[in-house]
Amino acid sequence: MLSVEDNEYLTGTGPGTPMGTFMRRFWMPFMLSDEIAEPDCPPVRVRLLGEDLLAFRDSKGRIGLVDEYCPHRRVSLFFGRNEACGIRCVYHGWKFDVDGNCVDTPSEPSDSKFKDKVKLKSYPVREKAGIVWAYMGPQALMGGLPELEWMEVPEDHRYQSRWYQECNYAQAVEGEIDSAHVSFLHSKLDNDAVNKAALTGAFFAEDTAPKWKVTESDFGMTLGARRVVDGGRYYWRMNQWLYPFYTMIAPVPGESRTVRMWVPADDHHCNIVCITYRNDRPVSEQELHNWRTGAAAHAAVLPGTLTPAANMGNDYNIDRDLQRTASFTGIKGIRAQDAAMTESAGAIVDRSLEHLGTSDTAIIKMRRLLIDAAKKLENGEEPAPAQNGSLYRVRSHSVVIDGQDDFDDRPDILAAMQVI
Ligand code: FES
Ligand SMILES: [Fe+2]
């Protein structure tokens, strides 16, 4: 559990909050390049850390991330004309470039210098590997982008999507790093039959109470969950959590890897940017189909929205017959199963009412790391990973070993989690 005060501290990310200030030290991945694919294409509303912003790509291909509201009379620039290197408000024609400079005020006298006094808030933006990133912190403290492995694979080796979850970012991350729920939430009633092909699926059923070994490091923490399987062998599954909101979940050996970025849109909504990638080959048509339809890793959204098709409003399409006969939940799709649990606790779960057990070790640790890091920043200590992108050169891993070693006693396992 957390005290009510600590819960507010952990979950509040708006301007001026300690956690919001901490988050603003990091580059934030917030949308896909494809959403603003062409110069002068329609702008896209972006909600980020409680701020209403607008992203647009100008005639030269540069991306602007600016205040959504026109500084003249505060109407939305979403309706603006994206033309000739700027976004022009359709109310009185004022125009702004990607840096937020006011370049035209045609409703004012032609000799007016008014535009020189007006500025639209804008944030630095970078585009890398199909994702658009923003930096919302102090200029002088801007570091580099994190060096994540998926950024280095060829374009046809990866797939990216984004969607919204209707809860606070911390809650969404907790659902992700909670290795214990896999044995239940995502299970089938007949595990032997269904999971014969996927070896690890059977392991989750074989040992439903994993033993945790969580190791802290400069980038965040490695969450080792150990299950005893196969007559006494150790199945180790190491997920990674990286400051301030990255998760890497261990894939089934030989399968694609997934990295999710749980970016606060505001305190009640999480903007999830999800990358799935392979190191060994381009993604196949079958994989793309599975990801696009929400059968694995990614959520299928309602057309033209960021809202998953299975959502709170339709009870995630729960099928009680399926729940009786085949699936533990009766909800189709791992993403929908996860969202159903994390959203059902309310947008911000009251952590003062929880009863945490040993299976919650990783979650307890993550909360503490985030709160401590934000408190350190309040005391003047800057977060190292915001400045050092090379700390992000890690990956998740799973392995079955003979012997009784902890994962971090084995140099071969530690090496497998490093991106060279
Ligand atoms: S409100 Fe935008 S130009 Fe007047
Ligand atoms: Fe899950």
Side-chain angles (χ1 to χ4, degrees), residues 18 20 60 86 99 131 133 163 183 187 208 248 277 321 338 413:
K60 291 184 177 163
D99 297 317
I131 300 297
W133 307 68
W163 67 92
S183 296
S187 67
T208 59
M248 301 175 178
Y277 67 102
D321 279 337
D338 281 332
I413 297 178

Side-chain angles (χ1 to χ4, degrees), residues 262-281:
W262 309 82
V263 184
D266 54 38
D267 294 346
H268 295 90
H269 298 88
C270 187
N271 178 24
I272 301 161
V273 180
C274 178
I275 312 285
T276 306
Y277 67 102
R278 302 197 62 106
N279 302 86
D280 55 345
R281 62 163 171 78

Side-chain angles (χ1 to χ4, degrees), residues 175-176 181-182 185-186 334-335 338:
E176 178 85 343
H181 78 246
V182 184
L185 182 69
H186 304 315
I334 287 175
R335 288 298 92 205
D338 281 332

Side-chain angles (χ1 to χ4, degrees), residues 70-77 89-96 107:
C70 177
H72 178 211
R73 297 255 301 281
R74 303 293 295 161
V75 306
S76 175
L77 290 166
C89 181
V90 289
Y91 208 0
H92 312 94
W94 292 21
K95 183 175 174 184
F96 305 90
S107 59

Side-chain angles (χ1 to χ4, degrees), residues 18-225:
M19 194 58 73
T21 303
F22 176 73
M23 295 260 181
R24 282 166 172 78
R25 292 294 201 269
F26 294 82
W27 281 93
M28 321 279 296
F30 67 93
M31 73 186 299
L32 315 185
S33 295
D34 284 352
E35 295 179 68
I36 42 173
E38 303 291 334
D40 295 337
C41 65
V44 173
R45 290 189 187 96
V46 172
R47 191 146 167 82
L48 201 50
L49 295 173
E51 298 188 33
D52 288 323
L53 305 170
L54 193 74
F56 68 101
R57 193 185 293 275
D58 78 2
S59 315
K60 291 184 177 163
R62 297 173 302 191
I63 296 176
L65 182 66
V66 297
D67 188 353
E68 183 188 340
Y69 303 107
C70 177
H72 178 211
R73 297 255 301 281
R74 303 293 295 161
V75 306
S76 175
L77 290 166
F78 171 76
F79 301 102
R81 302 175 63 85
N82 185 13
E83 58 187 14
C85 287
I87 185 100
R88 189 183 288 282
C89 181
V90 289
Y91 208 0
H92 312 94
W94 292 21
K95 183 175 174 184
F96 305 90
D97 68 14
V98 288
D99 297 317
N101 299 309
C102 182
V103 294
D104 198 12
T105 51
S107 59
E108 294 296 305
S110 57
D111 60 348
S112 167
K113 294 270 182 280
F114 194 42
K115 70 177 167 43
D116 300 334
K117 299 195 190 104
V118 178
K119 180 96 179 164
L120 181 67
K121 180 171 68 181
S122 76
Y123 290 113
V125 171
R126 288 197 191 155
E127 200 172 10
K128 175 103 180 178
I131 300 297
V132 190
W133 307 68
Y135 178 73
M136 301 169 75
Q139 254 342 84
L141 295 170
M142 187 164 77
L145 292 178
E147 296 174 21
L148 295 154
E149 184 178 36
W150 56 265
M151 294 172 160
E152 296 167 6
V153 304
E155 196 179 338
D156 62 0
H157 285 45
R158 62 177 152 76
Y159 173 77
Q160 53 269 328
S161 74
R162 77 165 172 135
W163 67 92
Y164 264 36
Q165 201 155 306
E166 292 185 59
C167 67
N168 185 264
Y169 83 95
Q171 202 164 314
V173 173
E174 286 172 3
E176 178 85 343
I177 63 175
D178 162 20
S179 254
H181 78 246
V182 184
S183 296
F184 307 95
L185 182 69
H186 304 315
S187 67
K188 311 275 202 279
L189 293 189
D190 184 357
N191 267 300
D192 282 347
V194 178
N195 288 317
K196 253 183 203 145
L199 194 58
T200 54
F203 289 164
F204 292 135
E206 201 173 332
D207 185 347
T208 59
K211 187 169 183 311
W212 283 99
K213 173 109 193 235
V214 178
T215 59
E216 196 180 321
S217 54
D218 288 343
F219 64 77
M221 60 178 175
T222 302
L223 321 148

